Amino acid sequence: MKNISIIGSTGSIGTQTLDIINNDRDGFRVTSLAAGSNVKLMEEQVRRFSPLFVSMQSEEAASDLKVRIADTGTEVRCGAEGLDSVAADPKSDMLVTGIVGMQGIKPTMTAIREKKTIALANKETMVAAGSVITALARECGVKILPVDSEHSAIFQSLEGQSRKNVDKIILTASGGIFRGRSREELMNVTASEALKNPNWVMGKKVTIDSATLVNKGLEVMEASWLFGVSHRDIEVVVHPQSILHSAVLYTDGAIIGQMGLPDMHIPISYALYYPERMPVMGEKPDLAVLGSLTFEKPDTEVFRGLPLAMQAADAGGTMPAVFNAANEEAVSMFLNGKVGLLNIYDIIGYAMEKHRVVDDPDIDDIFEAEREARENAASWSAA
Amino acid sequence: MKNISIIGSTGSIGTQTLDIINNDRDGFRVTSLAAGSNVKLMEEQVRRFSPLFVSMQSEEAASDLKVRIADTGTEVRCGAEGLDSVAADPKSDMLVTGIVGMQGIKPTMTAIREKKTIALANKETMVAAGSVITALARECGVKILPVDSEHSAIFQSLEGQSRKNVDKIILTASGGIFRGRSREELMNVTASEALKNPNWVMGKKVTIDSATLVNKGLEVMEASWLFGVSHRDIEVVVHPQSILHSAVLYTDGAIIGQMGLPDMHIPISYALYYPERMPVMGEKPDLAVLGSLTFEKPDTEVFRGLPLAMQAADAGGTMPAVFNAANEEAVSMFLNGKVGLLNIYDIIGYAMEKHRVVDDPDIDDIFEAEREARENAASWSAA
């Protein structure tokens, strides 16, 4: 029996994690949950999984939930403190970090200090604070298991292999919904056009990041920290079918890769059961039915997310946090109709240009860089 | 420094093995070699690698070689006894079995008894005598490393994974040179048409087996013994590009597979250096350049090699040896222009029909079944 805490339990990763747990009630116990504002779904989760305590982002949401679940034994907490107490939950063995954005950094650090295994789905944690997080995990002897499908695939492709034989990592990308489009064609796309993603059901932020390839840039930086490989030894290959989830090229010319249907339950389940694998009852991939897997180089002229990310990773220090924070601001400006899709790159570039890198940053330097990047991003104008 | 013996040193696997060894003279020493009748190439190999002794199949070839290399310190032996002495070579750590056909069985058993690691490229050994060989290897604590590209890929896809999580093995097939042809179109093909193989440079026998898909049938049986998986849990998928060399489907829906350029040096090198990997200087695979990988179900109506193999494996005991021996006879009849390509299936079917299976056979039962199968195959007539 594994005891599990989840931060971001009402989001995409959180709900899929609870799907898996729901199918194996003898294997897992949910000890605590944290979410943003979705009180209704949290009520359902409390009634189904009976965690010891839960936390909501705002006091209002927490008060509302308290009334709704007054008949249960589950305690309600709130705010950053509540979130942190879920991460520190003394009853849990593993923290699933399913929240989006840099708010995941502090609870992840808390959970590492408390020696919990981390099932990491919050890529911003590694992008912005990779040096701090990996050093802390090493110090505390804590395992970080990736939940992202790409990073799970890389992790699986490295199992049983010697790291010194790794030549490079091959990170696959669906190419996003605008693959093949020119810059001109992307000038006037709207948020609703950008929010249709072909292969994966994802949150809005991630869908835009996927369309701009900023997502792949973040994943390159995440993979670099997770697997101890230079970002320059990670090659992005566009693979629209999203079947080869990623791979590793070894020095002898062999590529080991992990394939599967595009279903986040698989990498989540892999992290939850690691090192075992849980049989799925659903459909299994059949290569003869899939028919064809195609691969192409990413168009980095149009989709500047990738070269900008490489530039941020080259600069190092606090720059990846700036890249990430400026992108978060820019995406929310795009979703609110304030800027165009391609302006996202301009905004990231502007914030990076304004930033003076702090080398070997501590966590306060990172948050300060983040704050400054958001400010600069917000002040960007097309003029 | 690893000491290596090779049987079949002048064949396709043997020469490629020596290529690799030639590039790493500090890593390997060749202690003994055995070959058939290619005296000229054996002379070159003796001069380059200075083995302690070598063996040729016939006395004539041995005498000829003796004269040619009289100035060297290498001893020349011959016949089955000479071959067996190479397998038993007290100086060697690993035997590479690069000879084709059932003549590989006895030397492989000898080498296992002498506790040498086996780099197995002789699939008939496992097909005909899998039960005997695997039992002996277990008893002697000997590792059998596959050299076939498909089996090497499966081996690599199982590394670091728990066997109980294996759902099935996905064995890829190029489909052979006649992929997509109808039975009518194959009625009158000649040996020379059949001997053009698109992706791999191989011997004649293997090229025909690849065209008839008998090769895949043999490989299914070989994989079944090598990896302890029922032949019914091995699925053949046609993949004309020969980039995905094979894969494993796990119970959680994840496929782990090994990709690479179609170059036998890679799986041979993997076996020679296992568990390490030797950097290749040559071209490495680039998925974006390869562009597209396609997969389809094999046409088992036209290419009956596969269903006949499944039938032989279902029957078990001595039947796989009959399948293999009848095929060897039939292929040689085809190469000599005596029968048509599709008659190969008829001849195998005929020999299988005539055979009474011996369950739990010992090695003598297997050789008796082989002898009988050859006799029956030779007596087959289209009438």
Side-chain angles (χ1 to χ4, degrees), chain B residues 120-329:
Chain B
L120 186 86
N122 170 270
K123 57 179 65 106
E124 294 83 357
T125 296
M126 275 304 193
V127 170
S131 58
V132 176
I133 296 280
T134 51
L136 189 63
R138 208 176 308 115
E139 190 189 313
C140 299
V142 160
K143 241 191 155 60
I144 300 179
L145 301 170
V147 163
D148 232 0
S149 68
E150 291 84 352
H151 299 87
S152 179
I154 296 163
F155 187 91
Q156 293 180 51
S157 301
L158 288 166
E159 280 285 279
Q161 300 289 336
S162 168
R163 290 299 167 97
K164 71 172 192 292
N165 296 330
V166 172
D167 186 275
K168 69 180 175 196
I169 285 176
I170 300 166
L171 187 74
T172 54
S174 74
I177 192 167
F178 298 128
R179 185 175 62 92
R181 302 270 189 104
S182 70
R183 215 176 286 192
E184 289 64 40
E185 291 173 298
L186 295 181
M187 293 298 269
N188 298 312
V189 295
T190 63
S192 68
E193 284 175 80
L195 287 174
K196 296 171 203 148
N197 190 275
N199 295 327
W200 298 94
V201 178
M202 309 182 290
K204 281 186 189 181
K205 159 76 165 53
V206 180
T207 303
I208 302 303
D209 288 349
S210 168
T212 58
L213 260 71
V214 164
N215 200 33
K216 283 304 136 179
L218 294 170
E219 287 176 6
V220 166
M221 294 191 262
E222 184 186 3
S224 168
W225 286 112
L226 274 173
F227 306 114
V229 168
S230 160
H231 59 282
R232 291 285 169 191
D233 290 330
I234 301 173
E235 190 184 331
V236 173
V237 177
V238 172
H239 167 49
Q241 299 83 20
S242 298
I243 297 300
L244 179 66
H245 293 322
S246 278
V248 175
L249 172 66
Y250 289 92
T251 52
D252 64 352
I255 295 174
I256 307 284
Q258 187 250 316
M259 290 168 276
L261 299 174
D263 178 349
M264 278 305 295
H265 288 94
I266 299 171
I268 297 171
S269 162
Y270 186 78
L272 288 177
Y273 286 97
Y274 178 81
E276 287 311 316
R277 290 175 184 274
M278 188 61 181
V280 277
M281 291 303 118
E283 202 193 348
K284 283 186 186 141
D286 182 335
L287 292 175
V289 170
L290 292 168
S292 172
L293 307 182
T294 64
F295 302 92
E296 62 194 54
K297 291 206 184 303
D299 180 349
T300 53
E301 297 291 314
V302 174
F303 299 96
R304 288 186 289 135
L306 217 45
L308 279 167
M310 284 295 177
Q311 208 179 307
D314 282 340
T318 41
M319 194 59 101
V322 169
F323 173 91
N324 176 64
N327 178 60
E328 284 187 20
E329 282 304 306

Side-chain angles (χ1 to χ4, degrees), chain A residues 326 329-330 333 339 346-347 350-351 354 371-383:
Chain A
E329 282 304 307
M333 288 155 82
V339 301
D346 302 324
I347 294 168
Y350 177 77
K354 286 260 180 178
R371 196 200 50 72
E372 178 215 288
R374 287 187 196 282
E375 222 172 78
N376 285 328
S379 76
W380 176 87
S381 74

Side-chain angles (χ1 to χ4, degrees), chain A residues 106-126:
Chain A
K106 283 193 172 164
T108 303
M109 292 178 69
T110 298
I112 292 173
R113 283 198 200 92
E114 299 294 328
K115 311 237 190 261
K116 297 181 195 319
T117 301
I118 307 294
L120 186 87
N122 171 269
K123 56 179 67 105
E124 294 83 357
T125 296
M126 275 304 194

Side-chain angles (χ1 to χ4, degrees), chain B residues 70-81:
Chain B
D71 60 318
T72 72
T74 299
E75 183 194 334
V76 180
R77 302 176 184 179
C78 80
E81 219 170 293

Side-chain angles (χ1 to χ4, degrees), chain A residues 29 43 73 83 124-125 163 241 276 287 291 325 366 372 377:
Chain A
R29 189 168 60 134
E43 180 186 350
L83 176 64
E124 294 83 357
T125 296
R163 290 301 165 98
Q241 299 83 19
E276 287 310 317
L287 293 175
I366 291 166
E372 178 215 288

Side-chain angles (χ1 to χ4, degrees), chain A residues 122-313:
Chain A
N122 171 269
K123 56 179 67 105
E124 294 83 357
T125 296
M126 275 304 194
V127 171
S131 59
V132 177
I133 296 279
T134 50
L136 190 62
R138 208 176 308 116
E139 190 190 312
C140 299
V142 159
K143 239 190 157 61
I144 300 180
L145 301 171
V147 163
D148 234 359
S149 68
E150 290 83 353
H151 299 86
S152 179
I154 296 162
F155 188 91
Q156 293 180 53
S157 302
L158 288 166
E159 281 283 279
Q161 301 289 337
S162 167
R163 290 301 165 98
K164 71 172 192 294
N165 296 330
V166 172
D167 186 276
K168 69 180 174 195
I169 285 176
I170 301 166
L171 187 74
T172 55
S174 73
I177 191 165
F178 297 128
R179 184 175 62 92
R181 303 269 189 104
S182 70
R183 216 176 286 194
E184 290 64 42
E185 292 172 298
L186 294 181
M187 294 297 270
N188 298 311
V189 294
T190 63
S192 68
E193 284 174 80
L195 287 174
K196 294 173 203 145
N197 189 275
N199 295 328
W200 298 93
V201 178
M202 308 182 291
K204 281 185 190 183
K205 158 76 165 51
V206 180
T207 303
I208 303 302
D209 288 350
S210 168
T212 58
L213 260 72
V214 165
N215 199 33
K216 283 305 135 180
L218 294 170
E219 287 176 7
V220 166
M221 294 191 262
E222 184 186 2
S224 168
W225 285 112
L226 274 173
F227 306 114
V229 168
S230 159
H231 59 282
R232 290 285 169 191
D233 290 330
I234 301 173
E235 190 185 331
V236 174
V237 177
V238 172
H239 167 49
Q241 299 83 19
S242 298
I243 298 297
L244 178 67
H245 292 324
S246 278
V248 175
L249 172 65
Y250 290 92
T251 51
D252 64 352
I255 295 175
I256 306 283
Q258 188 251 314
M259 290 168 274
L261 298 174
D263 178 350
M264 279 303 295
H265 288 94
I266 298 172
I268 298 171
S269 162
Y270 186 78
L272 290 177
Y273 286 97
Y274 178 81
E276 287 310 317
R277 291 175 183 272
M278 187 60 181
V280 277
M281 292 302 119
E283 203 193 346
K284 284 187 186 140
D286 182 335
L287 293 175
V289 170
L290 293 166
S292 172
L293 307 182
T294 65
F295 302 93
E296 61 194 53
K297 291 206 184 302
D299 180 350
T300 52
E301 297 291 313
V302 175
F303 299 96
R304 289 186 289 135
L306 218 43
L308 280 166
M310 284 294 176
Q311 209 180 305

